[in-house]
Amino acid sequence: MHLDVQDLRNFYYRSTLGRAAQASIRARLLQMWPDATGQTMAGFGFAAPLMRPYLSKARRVIALMPGPQGVMQWPAGMPNVSVLCEETRWPLDTGRVDRLLVMHGLETSDHPAKLLEECWRVLGPGGRAIFVVPNRAGLWSRSDKTPFGYGRPYTLGQLESQLRTHQFTTERHAAALYQVPSMRRFWLKSGPMIENMGRKLPTVLAGGVFLVEVSKQIHQPRGLATKVKARSRIRVLEGLSNPMPKPA
């Protein structure tokens, strides 16, 4: 079940907690992908809040938003690069994406296996993807006051296993959102301090979301290949138009 784009926009752009969540996840993303100069970057779900730092240097940035969620114009004050699309059929050529970011897309998808197949299709050889999903053991997945309280939360092992099943190679992982998902003033003011403390903890312990980076590796086929010569279509029809002599 996808959330409505208006609710997502209000959370990330109009609430103090949402802006804090955006800053926390974006900081982790920039540590993993500090630069995307000359590359094609796509985001699926509601990844737009994280992609703004790449607009100036990336060759192309596309924000794909699924139909059940809805679409909004993005980025504000600049030419629109957001696209409304089907969840498992994106308007992108095969192998054209260098960097793919998925947030509020996998855990809310009605067809996660087909969605991962589409992610694999659009990535080029050696392309990288980061999946941002709620941590099953974290506080954010237990509160429906934030978008991370909807859909299917994951453990790190569950997510990596699902990605491996779809031929992705896990490169590294990180966590974000250590602060308490509360609108109360005390927790909002304490948020930056809690985030700094949380980054020193192991990934699987307290983070509200996981960021798992994977790559698309295409391996050369092994073994000996036998080429089968196809029978000529003309030869098949030859006996009808020009009967061949029978052997004596």
Side-chain angles (χ1 to χ4, degrees):
M1 179 190 73
H2 289 281
L3 295 172
D4 187 84
V5 69
Q6 298 296 334
D7 295 331
L8 291 166
R9 181 180 65 177
N10 290 339
F11 176 74
Y12 281 107
Y13 293 103
R14 298 179 180 176
S15 75
T16 305
L17 182 62
R19 289 193 292 269
Q22 179 184 157
S24 174
I25 302 173
R26 184 191 288 178
R28 277 298 197 187
L29 176 65
L30 289 173
Q31 288 179 353
M32 301 172 80
W33 288 352
D35 183 51
T37 301
Q39 296 181 328
T40 296
M41 172 176 280
F44 176 78
F46 198 74
L50 307 183
M51 295 195 296
R52 179 173 282 275
Y54 302 102
L55 285 170
S56 60
K57 294 185 179 180
R59 178 174 58 187
R60 188 180 184 190
V61 175
I62 309 163
L64 301 163
M65 301 189 183
Q69 169 189 291
V71 67
M72 71 174 193
Q73 183 176 350
W74 184 84
M78 299 175 64
N80 178 63
V81 298
S82 62
V83 178
L84 185 68
C85 66
E86 294 184 35
E87 184 180 66
T88 57
R89 295 182 63 185
W90 300 350
L92 297 175
D93 292 335
T94 299
R96 290 299 182 90
V97 175
D98 302 302
R99 294 286 185 269
L100 173 64
L101 179 62
V102 179
M103 185 171 77
H104 300 308
L106 181 60
E107 74 274 14
T108 57
S109 173
D110 294 325
H111 309 284
K114 292 183 178 180
L115 173 59
L116 289 175
E117 290 174 4
E118 190 69 356
C119 293
W120 170 267
R121 182 187 69 82
V122 302
L123 274 179
R128 299 288 181 107
I130 288 181
F131 293 85
V132 183
V133 299
N135 177 6
R136 182 181 294 276
L139 295 176
W140 288 73
S141 66
R142 305 176 191 180
S143 172
D144 58 6
K145 295 180 180 179
T146 80
F148 296 102
Y150 295 84
R152 300 176 302 276
Y154 286 84
T155 67
L156 186 58
Q158 287 172 341
L159 180 58
E160 290 183 339
S161 177
Q162 187 172 8
L163 295 172
R164 187 165 53 248
T165 300
H166 288 80
Q167 305 180 56
F168 289 107
T169 301
T170 301
E171 299 293 340
R172 53 182 167 167
H173 52 72
L177 291 186
Y178 292 96
Q179 66 188 83
V180 178
S182 172
M183 300 288 187
R184 294 185 177 181
R185 185 176 180 182
F186 172 78
W187 292 116
L188 290 174
K189 292 185 66 175
S190 304
M193 179 185 67
I194 298 174
E195 288 289 330
N196 291 331
M197 294 173 58
R199 293 192 184 102
K200 301 176 183 179
L201 298 174
T203 300
V204 297
L205 287 184
V209 298
F210 293 126
L211 293 84
V212 177
E213 182 184 22
V214 296
S215 63
K216 177 180 179 179
Q217 303 296 336
I218 303 222
H219 303 285
Q220 294 293 335
R222 298 181 179 180
L224 299 175
T226 303
K227 186 176 181 180
V228 179
K229 186 176 181 180
R231 190 178 179 185
S232 172
R233 296 181 180 179
I234 298 178
R235 187 69 177 173
V236 172
L237 300 175
E238 189 176 41
L240 298 178
S241 58
N242 183 23
M244 300 177 62
K246 297 181 180 181

